[in-house]
Amino acid sequence: MDATKMRLSLKTLTMLLLVALLPGAAGAASFTASLDRDSMMLGEQATLSLKFEGVQPQDAPGMPNIAGLQFQYVGPSSSFSFINGQTTSSVTYNYLVTAQRAGDFTIPAMRADIGSQQLASAPLKLTVTTANAPSAAAVNSGSEIAFLKFNFPKNKIYVGEAEVGRLELYLRDDVQNFGNFQITSSPTDGFNAGKTTELQNQRRRVQVGNRVYTEIPLALPLTAVRAGALTLGPFTASAVVVLPSQNQGGDPFFRQFFNQGEQQQINLATEALNIQSLPLPAQNRPANFSGAVGQFSFAASAGPTTVTVGDPITVRVQVSGRGALDGVTLPAQNAWQNFKTYPPTTKLDTADPFGFQGTKTFEQIISPENSDVHELPALTFSFFNPDDGQYHTLTQAAVPLTVKAAGTSPMPVQAANKNSADEKPAQDILPIKENLGTHTQNKTPLVAQPAFLAVQSVPVLAFLAAFIWRQRTDNLANNPRLRRQRAVAQLVRDGLNDLKKFAAENKADEFFALLFRLLQEQLGERLDCPATAITENVIEEHAVLRSAPNATRDTLRELFQLCNQARYAPVRGTGELNSVAAKFETTVGALQEVKA
Amino acid sequence: MKTFFASLCVLLFAAKVFAADAAADFSAANEIYAKGKFADAAAAYEKILQTGATSPALLFNAANAEFKAGHLGQAIAAYRQATLLAPRDAELRANLAFVRNQVQGATVRERFWQNWFSTLTLNEGAVLTAVLFWLTFALFAARQIRPELVPKLKGVTRILVLLTLCSATVLAVQAANHFSTATAVVIADNAIARSGPFDDAQTAFTARDGAELSVLDRRDGWVQVADGAGKIGWLPVKQVEVLPGA
């Protein structure tokens, strides 16, 4: 059963239990709505609980449409209590409430029709405020435990320009510790935002107004993707700080060592920053401009320069500098019409953690299509520099080529052999395979197949069987009494067959000789003494046999006497011998039951 | 017994017919590829894959066709699936490396140890570990049955136990990588990753066709992914091919 089915079953079971218990529940039915808070900041969430006591609605109540508020159903919770013979049960439906704007909201009274009953809740009020950064006066006075600032290096930015915003968290000097720092809202509409990371080794203590604060800087890489008036922030965050305990009791000397501090939840907000995002100018835009924005340098090389028609030439272009390198592409080179070109490969080596500074290397394979080609035309790369607001075009000089005519010079195909010393960059994929090869239908890995796992228990079981066998063998080897017991049991089993055979053949002498020997062996084993030492007298003398049933002892006596008589009156009939053999068998069975 | 043998014969016959059909379809798809109709060839290979048949060669050719048809992401996804079946195929690795080089933007690549661990397929690792496991316990059993062999078998036993433990460790890492991690290969031209799993959420970053991203979470037709530069965002499932393993 999967987790979903199990949850459904549990839910159904809970509901059935509640339904079963409700008839016995005491008290009137009620329906109440409550919020876990009356006010919250924009970006936070409140919890709305609809509680039904004494009744069980069929389903979660639908929520009213309130402009600016969104409700997200979380799930039900139920409780049941039995106090002084009175049972009460309740079901609570929980919703997350998210505000889309600041303002005062009223959640109207809600009605629920349950069977013949009509229940209604009271209306609720929720005030949503925008997060406000503390005033400069408050910060300078030192009354703020912590505050957040956001700095962006420019107030005008071009579309495609990349900059790193700096989010600074300030903690007052009496904050002993802080944790659970979470950015709860980071409005960066119109920007492509990267991951916020702390700038390592840049924490410092700064004097702000009357107090000293610890500044913790965080970097937020941003790339403008839309033109127009954009707003960054307000960024909001929450954290838990530990402040010195206000409890001033006890000895001041010890208090300075054992002050555990008090935890306090704080909400932080920055001012919103207005940024003007400018479109890239259309004027003077180079024809081969491919969207690179930043400050770049450009280097190119090509080789080999002496080739035959169709031979590959590797053109290596390196674009280095600062900007959104991720989006930098190799511009189309219109002057390469006499070359066959292949898609370029790229490699990005970044020099900063944001990917805004570094080198992007393009490698492109081209091949001259005729022997009239004498040079690789000049390579150009255009970019827009946001610092001077102008387009720049960088050019690398043409590379002279010597192209020889060739009768047949097929475009080389990538070789699979990776061991060749003069390995060249791949120019195309390797061709398809002609044979389908071994194909399979079952895609489930062996380790996920129960049968495969079950088979692995076989060697373990085999080992356990061998282990048990070894233990039993060792026990037998170390226990001569047990060994004798088993040997005598086997001897008696074989002997009984011989007795029956002698009886059938009417060989009385052999019959009684064997019978006497078997009696000696069996009694010797039971009494733990040599078989040759056994006579009729042991029946009376030995304590072990004294504890045997009287009938057994009588039969033993009788058998011994028969053996003795046989020496003097050996002739007996087959029937009598069979009767004696049966008595012996019965007696031996009884003897084996006697505790030795 | 007769019924059993009859059923076995029917199954064997059906398997043989199925294999013959797949081989014929494969050859037909190869011919389409040879004519330069790469998109049609890709569709033909995909049709064979949809029957449930799979082989390294089939996935390799499907990937080649997708690449030639200009679908980098589909090609990388198929090559990666093929490497799960034939991790030591040099041609496969060469083509995968070549196509990966065509992909723009940040992407997630296997680490050295992951490459090392994936030298064997998961099934090869499982069989190797099982064989070593059986041998080890057979040796244990032999030591019980013939204790006089214990001194002679001491060195062999130690080596076998060590090999079994190493093999089981590698298998455990492989299995954990296969079952608990996933990679999303972008199969759309410019897939816009958003900050939340809904269409009007803010743009987090743009992933290019063929970008390989780590899957962090899945929710209602969306996958949360991280690219090689550490950017995190949500992409619609239809724009990615989610594959097992990192």
Side-chain angles (χ1 to χ4, degrees):
Chain A
M1 187 186 290
D2 60 28
T4 311
K5 283 182 178 172
M6 189 171 281
R7 274 200 298 274
L8 281 172
S9 301
L10 282 172
K11 191 176 168 185
T12 311
L13 195 64
T14 310
M15 292 302 177
L16 285 172
L17 188 64
L18 279 170
V19 168
L21 290 168
L22 275 174
S30 69
F31 168 37
T32 52
S34 62
L35 281 163
D36 65 340
R37 65 188 80 181
D38 297 332
S39 63
M40 65 177 186
M41 285 203 292
L42 196 60
E44 290 183 339
Q45 288 181 321
T47 303
L48 172 66
S49 302
L50 304 182
K51 187 174 183 183
F52 293 87
E53 280 186 297
V55 286
Q56 172 64 42
Q58 290 294 319
D59 210 345
M63 296 308 298
N65 282 326
I66 302 171
L69 283 189
Q70 276 189 337
F71 298 91
Q72 185 189 350
Y73 180 55
V74 180
S77 62
S78 53
S79 67
F80 176 77
S81 63
F82 185 84
I83 302 167
N84 296 332
Q86 293 280 34
T87 57
T88 54
S89 67
S90 68
V91 182
T92 306
Y93 295 94
N94 299 306
Y95 298 80
L96 283 179
V97 186
T98 311
Q100 292 164 319
R101 60 175 172 80
D104 291 323
F105 297 93
T106 302
I107 300 170
M110 283 176 278
R111 301 179 68 82
D113 295 329
I114 300 163
S116 58
Q117 297 185 75
Q118 282 197 335
L119 303 172
S121 68
L124 299 169
K125 286 195 177 300
L126 178 65
T127 304
V128 180
T129 54
T130 49
N132 289 323
S135 65
V139 169
N140 288 329
S141 69
S143 63
E144 294 294 322
I145 298 166
F147 62 93
L148 201 61
K149 278 174 71 175
F150 179 70
N151 294 319
F152 196 68
K154 293 181 173 178
N155 55 14
K156 281 187 181 175
I157 191 168
Y158 284 95
V159 172
E161 187 179 350
E163 285 294 346
V164 180
R166 187 179 164 100
L167 204 55
E168 292 166 352
L169 170 65
Y170 290 84
L171 296 171
R172 208 167 61 191
D173 55 357
D174 58 345
V175 172
Q176 294 176 339
N177 200 357
F178 87 107
N180 287 348
F181 178 76
Q182 285 184 327
I183 296 174
T184 51
S185 169
S186 54
T188 54
D189 197 23
F191 286 88
N192 192 351
K195 194 178 175 186
T196 307
T197 49
E198 184 182 343
L199 292 167
Q200 295 300 315
N201 303 320
Q202 291 197 31
R203 289 189 183 192
R204 60 186 184 130
R205 288 166 72 79
V206 291
Q207 179 81 34
V208 180
N210 298 328
R211 295 296 290 261
V212 174
Y213 283 79
T214 301
E215 179 196 327
I216 301 171
L218 306 159
L220 175 61
L222 294 162
T223 307
V225 293
R226 203 181 68 204
L230 304 178
T231 305
L232 282 172
F235 295 90
T236 59
S238 65
V240 175
V241 295
V242 180
L243 293 167
S245 173
Q246 295 302 308
N247 179 10
Q248 297 298 311
D251 190 307
F253 176 77
F254 289 104
R255 202 168 57 237
Q256 66 180 319
F257 296 108
F258 301 106
N259 191 331
Q260 296 292 311
E262 289 179 354
Q263 287 193 346
Q264 189 174 333
Q265 166 91 32
I266 53 169
N267 292 313
L268 307 163
T270 67
E271 301 278 6
L273 282 181
N274 293 319
I275 307 290
Q276 186 66 29
S277 177
L278 306 169
L280 297 180
Q283 195 179 5
N284 299 327
R285 179 180 294 195
N288 68 341
F289 175 69
S290 59
V293 179
Q295 297 159 26
F296 301 104
S297 60
F298 169 63
S301 62
T305 53
T306 303
V307 292
T308 52
V309 171
D311 274 358
I313 299 169
T314 303
V315 180
R316 193 160 184 263
V317 177
Q318 279 191 317
V319 178
S320 305
R322 190 183 185 285
L325 282 164
D326 193 23
V328 172
T329 56
L330 192 65
Q333 301 295 332
N334 296 326
W336 286 1
Q337 63 267 39
N338 287 326
F339 293 84
K340 185 174 184 181
T341 59
Y342 292 85
T345 62
T346 59
K347 184 182 164 197
L348 180 61
D349 296 312
T350 54
D352 69 350
F354 318 112
F356 290 168
Q357 198 148 6
T359 301
K360 193 163 191 176
T361 305
F362 301 88
E363 279 192 353
Q364 185 162 23
I365 303 295
I366 61 171
S367 66
E369 291 183 317
N370 56 62
S371 57
D372 297 334
V373 175
H374 300 294
E375 65 172 20
L376 178 69
L379 283 163
T380 57
F381 172 71
S382 296
F383 65 94
F384 178 78
N385 187 343
D387 289 347
D388 59 13
Q390 291 186 350
Y391 291 99
H392 298 262
T393 299
L394 304 174
T395 305
Q396 285 287 318
V399 178
L401 295 177
T402 305
V403 181
K404 299 171 192 167
T408 53
S409 56
M411 192 58 211
V413 172
Q414 165 73 11
N417 184 6
K418 294 287 176 190
N419 296 325
S420 62
D422 54 347
E423 191 176 343
K424 292 178 182 176
Q427 292 139 33
D428 197 2
I429 54 171
L430 294 164
I432 56 171
K433 293 179 190 284
E434 293 301 322
N435 296 317
L436 179 58
T438 309
H439 68 278
T440 174
Q441 282 287 302
N442 189 0
K443 291 180 182 175
T444 310
L446 283 174
V447 287
Q449 291 182 26
F452 177 79
L453 297 174
V455 167
Q456 305 317 311
S457 63
V458 172
V460 180
L461 292 174
F463 164 71
L464 285 176
F467 178 77
I468 292 166
W469 177 83
R470 168 53 49 201
Q471 294 300 312
R472 290 176 64 124
T473 306
D474 288 350
N475 278 344
L476 194 62
N478 297 329
N479 190 344
R481 186 93 193 260
L482 180 63
R483 213 162 55 238
R484 186 180 181 190
Q485 185 184 357
R486 291 188 179 180
V488 168
Q490 184 63 43
L491 184 71
V492 168
R493 272 196 301 277
D494 295 343
L496 270 170
N497 289 334
D498 289 342
L499 283 178
K500 285 171 187 168
K501 188 177 145 199
F502 291 146
E505 293 170 1
N506 202 18
K507 293 181 176 174
D509 289 344
E510 289 87 344
F511 179 91
F512 283 107
L514 178 60
L515 178 65
F516 189 72
R517 193 178 144 235
L518 292 177
L519 281 169
Q520 281 184 314
E521 290 290 347
Q522 184 62 71
L523 285 170
E525 181 271 314
R526 288 287 85 189
L527 305 180
D528 196 22
C529 60
T532 50
I534 299 297
T535 61
E536 187 183 349
N537 295 337
V538 296
I539 301 168
E540 306 303 333
E541 292 168 359
H542 211 285
V544 171
L545 287 180
R546 280 204 296 273
S547 64
N550 286 332
T552 305
R553 292 165 59 198
D554 291 345
T555 312
L556 275 174
R557 260 187 235 105
E558 186 186 347
L559 288 171
F560 269 110
Q561 285 163 11
L562 281 171
C563 290
N564 289 333
Q565 287 169 12
R567 293 174 194 162
Y568 311 110
V571 180
R572 305 257 178 182
T574 299
E576 193 179 347
L577 293 178
N578 275 333
S579 162
V580 172
K583 274 185 188 172
F584 172 73
E585 190 172 4
T586 311
T587 309
V588 163
L591 269 178
Q592 285 172 348
E593 298 295 320
V594 172
K595 197 171 179 182
Chain B
M1 189 60 87
K2 280 181 182 173
T3 315
F4 172 75
F5 278 116
S7 306
L8 196 64
C9 289
V10 168
L11 279 174
L12 288 173
F13 179 72
K16 199 155 188 171
V17 168
F18 174 80
D21 283 352
D25 291 344
F26 182 73
S27 297
N30 284 358
E31 282 175 23
I32 299 170
Y33 183 96
K35 289 174 186 168
K37 297 175 180 175
F38 301 119
D40 292 344
Y45 291 124
E46 179 61 30
K47 198 174 166 187
I48 304 171
L49 288 167
Q50 280 173 355
T51 63
T54 187
S55 81
L58 178 57
L59 288 162
F60 179 89
N61 288 9
N64 273 19
E66 293 287 5
F67 172 70
K68 291 284 187 181
H71 307 142
L72 295 185
Q74 299 279 21
I76 288 175
Y79 283 132
R80 285 189 61 135
Q81 283 174 298
T83 56
L84 292 178
L85 301 175
R88 299 176 300 282
D89 187 325
E91 293 183 357
L92 184 51
R93 288 204 169 271
N95 277 9
L96 177 57
F98 182 85
V99 177
R100 277 175 165 170
N101 277 336
Q102 317 301 314
V103 178
Q104 305 275 327
T107 192
V108 176
R109 291 286 156 78
E110 298 96 339
R111 296 186 181 92
F112 167 76
W113 64 267
Q114 284 170 325
N115 275 328
W116 191 85
F117 275 112
S118 60
T119 309
L120 293 178
T121 67
L122 194 55
N123 280 353
E124 287 170 343
V127 169
L128 176 67
T129 307
V131 167
L132 290 169
F133 183 75
W134 277 65
L135 281 175
T136 304
F137 273 88
L139 214 54
F140 285 166
R143 287 159 61 104
Q144 295 297 324
I145 295 164
R146 302 279 301 276
E148 67 275 14
L149 293 178
V150 170
K152 289 180 186 170
L153 295 177
K154 204 170 181 178
V156 182
T157 308
R158 283 182 180 172
I159 291 169
L160 260 180
V161 168
L162 195 68
L163 286 174
T164 306
L165 288 175
C166 290
S167 178
T169 307
V170 172
L171 179 65
V173 173
Q174 274 187 310
N177 187 44
H178 184 89
F179 293 110
S180 64
T181 61
T183 300
V185 182
V186 176
I187 55 173
D189 277 343
N190 278 305
I192 296 173
R194 301 191 177 276
S195 57
F198 38 93
D199 288 326
D200 49 359
Q202 279 185 11
T203 299
F205 64 92
T206 303
R208 306 292 175 85
D209 185 20
E212 291 160 82
L213 311 167
S214 302
V215 174
L216 306 177
D217 198 3
R218 302 178 203 212
R219 198 178 299 169
D220 298 337
W222 292 78
V223 283
Q224 189 183 34
V225 293
D227 73 358
K231 293 177 192 165
I232 294 174
W234 291 85
L235 283 170
V237 164
K238 63 187 176 193
Q239 293 186 346
V240 293
E241 187 93 40
V242 178
L243 304 170

